[in-house]
Amino acid sequence: RMARFPFVKTLESFEFAYQPSIDAKRIKELSCCRWVANGENILLLGPPGVGKTHLAVGLGIEAIRRGYRTLFIGAQALIASLARAHNENRLEDKLKQYCQPKLLIIDEIGYIPIDRLGANLFFQLISRRYEKGAMIMTSNQPYSNWGEIFGDQVIASAILDRVLHHAISISIKGESYRLKEKLKAGLLS
Ligand code: ADP
Ligand code: MG
């Protein structure tokens, strides 16, 4: 199954002790993937390095183990791909393609601002998948900033309204794990 993960990291290799704001028991429950079967969404919010992508990949691997078709894509790449398809008059096929995986993981919403066309195309995809397919989204920005990310409060609200209707929102507070590893290695003082 083509998941296209940026790296392969499992939930077993996640150090929950390092990130006490995450409820390990809850993640364990989510690893059963009932939420995938139900077409629900998981949103992982928090600053860089706290393990959002690691958890998204770990949950994606659990979904694949249970036979769910899963696709991982960065928000920027997803929007670029939709915009390209739109410009080449094949948006319909592209939207269908992104609706096929039972689980779609969209990583890193919020690092790069999204233009008007991008926001519009992203909304179309969310509408298509609404109450059909499950999604994981990760973002370094709180929901209150999504209007800025999408350059339009109305579109951002419409997106969040659908995404959050059947969703588990996990907000991670804490130190970057990348930083911790550097500190341990004595690379920073
Ligand atoms: P984010 O997506 O939140 O910026 P990542 O998930 O990419 O962060 O994590 C950064 C790196 O640190 C990755 O290599 C990841 O595997 C590792 N990492 C982060 N948090 C943990 C953790 N609690 N236990 C083990 N590894 C972690
Ligand atoms: Mg990440």
Side-chain angles (χ1 to χ4, degrees):
R1 282 162 202 275
M2 279 233 309
R4 297 197 213 139
F5 294 128
F7 50 65
V8 175
K9 301 244 174 146
T10 60
L11 294 179
E12 288 84 33
S13 71
F14 194 83
E15 280 182 65
F16 288 96
Y18 185 73
Q19 218 55 264
S21 70
I22 303 173
D23 183 351
K25 225 183 81 193
R26 190 142 177 250
I27 302 293
K28 185 130 201 123
E29 282 163 18
L30 294 175
S31 72
C32 299
C33 295
R34 242 187 7 161
W35 61 279
V36 181
N38 294 341
E40 293 166 7
N41 305 316
I42 294 182
L43 286 106
L44 295 163
L45 303 188
V50 294
K52 301 181 298 296
T53 303
H54 186 141
L55 289 173
V57 169
L59 288 165
I61 289 169
E62 293 301 325
I64 290 169
R65 277 182 187 159
R66 285 162 180 79
Y68 297 111
R69 241 179 110 176
T70 297
L71 178 67
F72 182 108
I73 189 164
Q76 233 188 311
L78 173 66
I79 288 166
S81 154
L82 290 172
R84 212 176 312 120
H86 170 80
N87 292 335
E88 294 169 2
N89 281 315
R90 47 182 184 82
L91 179 62
E92 187 56 34
D93 285 351
K94 205 46 150 182
L95 286 170
K96 279 197 186 121
Q97 188 187 321
Y98 286 126
C99 284
Q100 270 167 11
K102 182 65 185 168
L103 173 60
L104 181 65
I105 303 174
I106 306 174
D107 196 32
E108 296 199 336
I109 294 171
Y111 281 103
I112 309 285
I114 298 162
D115 68 14
R116 191 162 192 86
L117 174 65
N120 189 302
L121 297 172
F122 190 82
F123 172 70
Q124 287 189 52
L125 176 62
I126 297 306
S127 303
R128 290 278 185 115
R129 289 189 63 92
Y130 179 61
E131 293 188 326
K132 289 193 209 86
M135 289 186 286
I136 297 176
M137 293 186 184
T138 80
S139 179
N140 64 326
Q141 300 285 339
Y143 301 125
S144 53
N145 289 357
W146 283 38
E148 252 172 79
I149 299 167
F150 287 95
D152 183 326
Q153 193 56 61
V154 177
I155 288 194
S157 298
I159 290 167
L160 282 173
D161 187 59
R162 283 162 181 77
V163 171
L164 294 175
H165 186 195
H166 306 286
I168 300 129
S169 187
I170 297 170
S171 184
I172 310 172
K173 295 165 193 81
E175 297 286 314
S176 165
Y177 194 88
R178 294 186 187 105
L179 209 58
K180 170 195 127 136
E181 296 205 303
K182 286 220 172 75
L183 287 168
K184 223 168 51 185
L187 297 172
L188 299 172
S189 52

